[in-house]
Amino acid sequence: MAIRSAALLALLVLVAFCAGRPADAAIGVNWGTVSLHRAPPSVVVDLMRANRISKVKLFDADPGVLRALAGSGIQVMVGLTNGELASVAGSQAAADAWVAQNVTRYVGRGGVDIRYIAVGNEPFLTSYQGQFQSYIIPAMTNVQQSLVKANLASYVKLVVPCNADAYESASVPSQGVFRTELTQIMTQLAAFLSSSGAPFIVNIYPFLSLYQNSDFPQDYAFFEGSTHPLVDGPNVYYNAFDGNFDTLVSALGKIGYGNLPIAIGEIGWPTEGAPSANLTAARAFNQGLINRITSNKGTPLRPGVPPADVYLFSLLDEEQKSVLPGNFERHWGIFSFDGQAKYPLNLGLGNSVLKNAKEVPYLPSRWCVANPARNLDSVADHMKLACSMADCTRLYYGGSCYGIGEKGNVSYAFNSYYQQQKQDPKSCDFDGLGMITYLDPSMGECRFLVGVDDSKSSAVASCGGGCCGVCCGLWVLAVWVFMYLKVMGSA
């Protein structure tokens, strides 16, 4: 009897311990891959695990990324892209095939812990002019049926990440409403989410409010209080996040779903590419956000109720993203493209600072710079070519390489192109104006990158395809407990 009691106690300890593991934390990250300097997915997965990040939101269902996530214990949101919506909305067979290809094949013992499928990405964005609107509910209906067939409907939930421009307010959060043309579909969407137990997902960007409006109070974008608080009856708003969040709460309330859980699909602050985008501001915003979320304070309309999940945007910089919104679009990462932390940040997940990626397969330590022996009068066209192909956004106003001088600008542009071309010697010629050097030409905060050799790969995960560390040891104990109790029966 004593042995049996000890076994039961061990099992209870296991349950209590593993239930409190970081997998239950609310802070996750977006992992975008619009880059030509992509570290192997296994390196990125190890980076997330080293930082105890247990939730990740993807924008598609890349096979290499999903294979790397297998056995990691990280909860995953995969994305059905906007370009796939029409096909899946119009055909149950297409939905079945998509789920089989991108979900079913990866889940199971030792597989990928897929919790959500994002049906589209900001499909109601004003600039899309309604082109995806009619596909959303049919696509969700078909994918839901596919999940039912695969016996996954109770585990994998469907969501639709929405841009905050889906709702609006005349002046204060309590007046929040959905855009008139979206009222019907938002009611259908909220009903769908409510019936399945999934959250409404919204992307909130106080940075963009500050960037796009010169009259926006800068301190209102952060979390340290504001000299321009927004008064809404008995509620006072001291930061843009709370005001935006409660505007959505009000909008949901007006269509009958005021208690629907809300998750933040994207939120963050870029580190360069605009006057208000820098390391200091990014750290202040993201740390303030994390502290706010982990305090469980909630908002005036939902006191004590933090968002269901918060996915920081983003994990890594993506130097191939469009710069039409601004040069900052390529610099949202809390890590640089190669997994090196940009600034100290406590994610509230057990590490006081961010840990850098390890075993990154860099190309050799060599750079392409302007040839000091050549006149640069004819360099303009070469720079234009280099920057049209590679990323030169750090050279412009608000960038970490702004002001390094003409030769510095030329060298940075040449090197960016050279690294993008995987250090092909021909890519550093520029009619004799470029030369290869083995001396790092970085200047102060302006870092001349060395590319990543993405032809190489490393081990997927240090724990293989199963559980890891102490919790894994406890699961072994649990198996022993189960077998013991089964043999002992009622003894």
Side-chain angles (χ1 to χ4, degrees):
M1 180 63 71
I3 296 176
R4 186 181 184 191
S5 297
L8 286 171
L9 178 61
L11 187 58
L12 291 173
V13 169
L14 163 67
V15 173
F17 179 83
C18 288
R21 299 296 287 168
D24 295 325
I27 304 296
V29 294
N30 285 269
W31 179 4
T33 56
V34 187
S35 173
L36 292 177
H37 297 293
R38 293 179 58 179
S42 58
V43 171
V44 180
V45 171
D46 284 342
L47 172 66
M48 287 191 288
R49 291 185 57 217
N51 287 282
R52 304 188 180 186
I53 297 169
S54 58
K55 298 174 186 288
V56 65
K57 176 172 167 281
L58 309 176
F59 293 92
D60 51 22
D62 182 274
V65 168
L66 289 173
R67 284 194 296 268
L69 284 162
S72 67
I74 297 173
Q75 298 176 12
V76 180
M77 182 188 301
V78 296
L80 190 159
T81 66
N82 291 341
E84 297 170 309
L85 286 172
S87 173
V88 170
S91 166
Q92 184 62 59
D96 291 347
W98 192 93
V99 169
Q101 178 74 17
N102 300 297
V103 180
T104 309
R105 68 184 294 195
Y106 295 109
V107 300
R109 184 176 178 84
V112 185
D113 188 7
I114 297 176
R115 297 295 184 96
Y116 295 107
I117 298 173
V119 180
N121 182 49
E122 298 187 334
F124 309 118
L125 200 64
T126 306
S127 59
Y128 289 147
Q129 299 181 325
Q131 69 179 103
F132 302 116
Q133 188 170 322
S134 64
Y135 301 138
I136 295 301
I137 300 302
M140 296 183 78
T141 301
N142 286 346
V143 173
Q144 181 72 12
Q145 287 301 311
S146 301
L147 292 174
V148 170
K149 293 177 185 178
N151 294 317
L152 292 172
S154 62
Y155 191 75
V156 180
K157 305 296 183 182
L158 303 184
V159 293
V160 181
C162 296
N163 188 280
D165 78 344
Y167 51 91
E168 55 197 3
S169 172
S171 58
V172 292
S174 62
Q175 296 181 10
V177 293
F178 287 107
R179 296 197 330 252
T180 303
E181 71 273 21
L182 296 180
T183 301
Q184 181 178 358
I185 193 170
M186 284 300 176
T187 303
Q188 295 174 312
L189 173 59
F192 190 106
L193 297 173
S194 179
S195 65
S196 64
F200 189 103
I201 293 189
V202 63
N203 302 339
I204 297 177
Y205 282 106
F207 168 80
L208 294 180
S209 298
L210 179 62
Y211 177 76
Q212 295 167 352
N213 184 355
S214 59
D215 295 327
F216 192 88
Q218 182 162 332
D219 60 2
Y220 190 65
F222 296 87
F223 295 90
E224 300 301 320
S226 174
T227 56
H228 300 80
L230 179 63
V231 179
D232 184 5
N235 297 320
V236 181
Y237 292 87
Y238 293 96
N239 65 79
F241 173 81
D242 285 3
N244 197 314
F245 188 95
D246 276 1
T247 303
L248 173 58
V249 172
S250 296
L252 287 169
K254 289 180 176 64
I255 62 171
Y257 291 93
N259 293 321
L260 189 67
I262 297 172
I264 309 302
E266 297 178 24
I267 187 168
W269 200 279
T271 54
E272 56 186 296
S276 55
N278 54 69
L279 294 173
T280 301
R283 180 187 182 188
F285 179 84
N286 283 329
Q287 193 63 71
L289 170 72
I290 292 166
N291 294 345
R292 176 82 177 186
I293 297 302
T294 55
S295 72
N296 295 323
K297 185 176 181 179
T299 62
L301 291 187
R302 288 192 175 178
V305 183
D309 285 317
V310 176
Y311 295 89
L312 294 178
F313 192 86
S314 66
L315 182 65
L316 304 167
D317 280 350
E318 299 172 82
E319 96 288 343
Q320 287 294 300
K321 289 189 69 178
S322 169
V323 295
L324 288 178
N327 290 330
F328 55 82
E329 272 299 306
R330 297 178 175 178
H331 305 286
W332 289 94
I334 57 175
F335 294 93
S336 54
F337 73 95
D338 53 354
Q340 306 307 298
K342 294 184 184 179
Y343 48 85
L345 187 66
N346 185 342
L347 295 174
L349 303 175
N351 294 339
S352 59
V353 294
L354 297 176
K355 294 186 176 181
N356 293 330
K358 297 180 179 179
E359 300 181 15
V360 180
Y362 291 105
L363 294 168
S365 295
R366 54 186 177 226
W367 298 261
C368 178
V369 296
N371 189 335
R374 294 293 302 272
N375 185 295
L376 297 178
D377 289 345
S378 60
V379 78
D381 287 342
H382 294 293
M383 278 196 69
K384 184 176 180 180
L385 170 64
C387 291
S388 69
M389 301 289 289
D391 178 36
C392 293
T393 55
R394 285 184 171 86
L395 294 177
Y396 306 130
Y397 182 69
S400 58
C401 296
Y402 178 74
I404 60 174
E406 180 186 8
K407 288 187 177 180
N409 290 342
V410 173
S411 294
Y412 188 91
F414 283 6
N415 184 65
S416 294
Y417 181 75
Y418 173 66
Q419 302 297 337
Q420 186 202 71
Q421 298 299 312
K422 307 303 180 186
Q423 297 185 356
D424 181 348
K426 295 179 181 178
S427 67
C428 186
D429 181 45
F430 297 105
D431 288 339
L433 297 180
M435 60 172 281
I436 295 172
T437 179
Y438 294 88
L439 298 176
D440 187 349
S442 298
M443 293 176 262
E445 294 183 356
C446 178
R447 176 189 175 196
F448 281 56
L449 66 88
V450 171
V452 169
D453 184 355
D454 53 14
S455 67
K456 298 179 180 180
S457 61
S458 59
V460 168
S462 57
C463 292
C467 56
C468 302
V470 177
C471 200
C472 192
L474 286 172
W475 278 116
V476 175
L477 174 61
V479 173
W480 177 85
V481 169
F482 175 79
M483 295 302 297
Y484 172 80
L485 294 177
K486 185 175 182 180
V487 171
M488 294 297 292
S490 60

